[in-house]
């Protein structure tokens, strides 16, 4: 088979479409013939040499894919060769085939194109685990999503609205904010021109956001605490604004607030399987009913992954950028 390899860390040109050995499904795994993968910022960090795959994972980038089951490994039940699936991966999605733990498989939702289903596993699992399983967003509460037009952001908007929450988003252009509004966002904040702390508080009567989903990390830490409501919950899922910040414990105590930080890739298989099962139970019916949809900016041939990485690094896209396998 062929896969995108990274012979040496570097810029997008470091991604090389090369012939590699076929993976073999082990105990509890299935082999998926990949139709499409999706680009995540973790892939960019891996390409740059800053985010190695967990031990035992595929060395190739790609944290999600869609395709058809080509073979079943020992100890797997409930799946059959030919099933159309999408999958949460620890790596290997930028390839024509990938071995996947059966607990990280999801059926392609009713009404969703097979290739576009590749845009779902990472964002659905990230949003559901952080916003609902950890931060416990409830109907009537307000969710603030930083990067509302990203893959994570577009999914967070839709899921929060589906459960009856109010949604505030930050984004850097009018076009991105308009797309967020189309998806259901109620409060639109251009972070280049507006102060999200002031805008959120003004929009909801000074109370602040009940839950904040943050991809920035250190840069936004203090202001996120300011923007929280009493009993608010800050869920940090990224470090685009740095890894080390100063936390005002006094402000946190005064609001009886909580801060959590999680990642998916290195979690034990059992934890990933539990998240995937929760997503199948709660999110997949919303997809089947048409209340939630994947948001795909463009599809790029997988051998041209370098171009897809350039698009994502420049943040000119809305939703996900897909890589379609030849």
């Amino acid at each position: 088979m062929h896969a995108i390899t990274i012979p040496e860390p570097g810029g997008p040109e470091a991604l090389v479409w090369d012939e590699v050995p076929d993976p073999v499904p082990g105990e509890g795994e299935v082999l998926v013939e990949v139709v499409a993968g999706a680009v995540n910022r973790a892939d960019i960090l891996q390409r740059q040499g800053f985010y190695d795959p967990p031990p035992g994972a595929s060395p190739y980038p790609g944290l999600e894919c869609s395709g058809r089951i080509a073979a079943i490994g020992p100890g797997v039940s409930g799946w059959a060769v030919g099933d159309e699936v999408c999958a949460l991966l620890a790596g290997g999605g930028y390839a024509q085939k990938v071995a996947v733990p059966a607990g990280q498989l999801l059926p392609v939702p009713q009404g969703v194109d097979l290739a576009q289903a590749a845009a779902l596993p990472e964002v659905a699992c990230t949003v559901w685990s952080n916003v609902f399983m950890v931060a416990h967003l409830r109907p009537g509460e307000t969710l603030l999503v930083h990067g509302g037009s990203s893959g994570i952001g577009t999914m967070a908007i839709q899921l929060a609205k589906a459960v009856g929450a109010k949604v505030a988003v930050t984004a850097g252009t009018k076009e991105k904010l308009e797309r967020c509004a189309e998806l259901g966002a109620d409060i639109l904040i251009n972070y280049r021109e507006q102060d999200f702390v002031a805008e959120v508080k003004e929009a909801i009567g000074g109370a602040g956001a009940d839950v904040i989903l943050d991809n920035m990390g250190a840069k936004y830490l203090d202001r996120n605490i300011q923007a929280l409501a009493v009993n608010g919950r800050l869920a940090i899922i990224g470090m685009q604004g740095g890894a080390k910040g100063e936390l005002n414990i006094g402000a946190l105590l005064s609001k009886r607030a909580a801060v959590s930080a999680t990642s998916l890739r290195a979690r034990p298989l059992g934890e990933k399987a539990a998240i995937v099962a929760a997503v199948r139970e709660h999110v997949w019916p919303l997809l089947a009913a048409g209340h939630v949809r994947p948001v795909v900016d463009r599809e790029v041939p997988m051998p041209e992954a370098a171009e897809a990485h350039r698009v994502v690094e420049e943040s000119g896209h809305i939703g996900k950028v897909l890589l379609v396998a030849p």
Side-chain angles (χ1 to χ4, degrees):
M1 72 167 189
H2 281 76
I4 290 290
T5 64
I6 309 173
E8 295 289 340
E13 68 281 355
L15 301 175
V16 178
W17 183 247
D18 202 358
E19 189 169 359
V20 299
D22 283 16
V24 177
E27 181 75 26
E29 294 184 332
V30 305
L31 183 67
V32 173
E33 185 174 346
V34 175
V35 168
V39 178
N40 290 279
R41 292 206 175 263
D43 305 332
I44 293 171
L45 291 174
Q46 181 175 339
R47 188 203 76 218
Q48 294 169 336
F50 300 132
Y51 194 13
D52 292 335
S58 169
Y60 316 124
L63 301 183
E64 58 192 336
C65 74
S66 62
R68 299 177 180 87
I69 295 179
I72 303 286
V76 174
S77 60
W79 299 98
V81 171
D83 284 349
E84 294 189 343
V85 297
C86 52
L88 181 70
L89 309 171
Y94 291 21
Q96 292 179 309
K97 297 176 184 178
V98 63
V100 185
Q104 293 167 217
L105 286 176
L106 288 155
V108 172
Q110 180 181 343
V112 175
D113 174 79
L114 177 57
Q116 296 214 344
L120 291 172
E122 179 76 11
V123 296
C125 289
T126 296
V127 173
W128 191 261
S129 62
N130 283 278
V131 175
F132 298 94
M133 297 174 73
V134 175
H136 302 291
L137 181 70
R138 295 182 287 269
E141 291 191 324
T142 297
L143 169 68
L144 168 60
V145 182
H146 291 302
S149 64
S150 67
I152 294 289
T154 53
M155 177 59 67
I157 293 167
Q158 295 180 82
L159 288 181
K161 294 302 293 184
V163 302
K166 192 171 188 176
V167 180
V169 298
T170 65
T173 69
K174 179 181 178 182
E175 178 191 8
K176 289 182 176 182
L177 289 171
E178 288 175 348
R179 189 62 187 277
C180 291
E182 292 172 2
L183 293 171
D186 305 285
I187 304 165
L188 309 176
I189 304 164
N190 186 324
Y191 68 80
R192 301 182 191 276
E193 302 171 356
Q194 298 169 290
D195 174 17
F196 72 79
V197 177
E199 295 296 328
V200 168
K201 289 189 174 183
E202 180 180 350
I204 52 180
D210 299 289
V211 176
I212 299 177
L213 184 63
D214 174 60
N215 61 349
M216 293 301 292
K219 183 178 180 180
Y220 278 9
L221 182 58
D222 182 64
R223 293 165 68 206
N224 277 332
I225 300 302
Q226 295 177 41
L228 279 177
V230 172
N231 295 315
R233 291 86 73 194
L234 168 61
I236 301 173
I237 58 170
M239 300 181 293
Q240 292 182 40
K244 294 183 179 180
E246 186 170 306
L247 178 62
N248 186 333
I249 302 297
L252 203 64
L253 287 170
S254 70
K255 293 187 175 184
R256 302 186 296 281
V259 178
S260 63
T262 72
S263 65
L264 269 176
R265 190 178 196 181
R267 284 180 183 243
L269 294 181
E271 290 186 18
K272 288 184 182 180
I275 291 170
V276 168
V279 164
R280 183 171 182 175
E281 178 182 356
H282 297 286
V283 179
W284 255 227
L286 296 173
L287 284 156
H291 300 312
V292 175
R293 308 303 292 173
V295 177
V296 175
D297 187 276
R298 68 192 72 188
E299 298 181 4
V300 177
M302 193 173 287
E304 300 172 22
E307 176 59 27
H309 272 222
R310 291 187 184 98
V311 170
V312 173
E313 284 186 273
E314 292 169 0
S315 295
H317 64 296
I318 295 173
K320 299 300 286 279
V321 174
L322 299 187
L323 297 173
V324 180

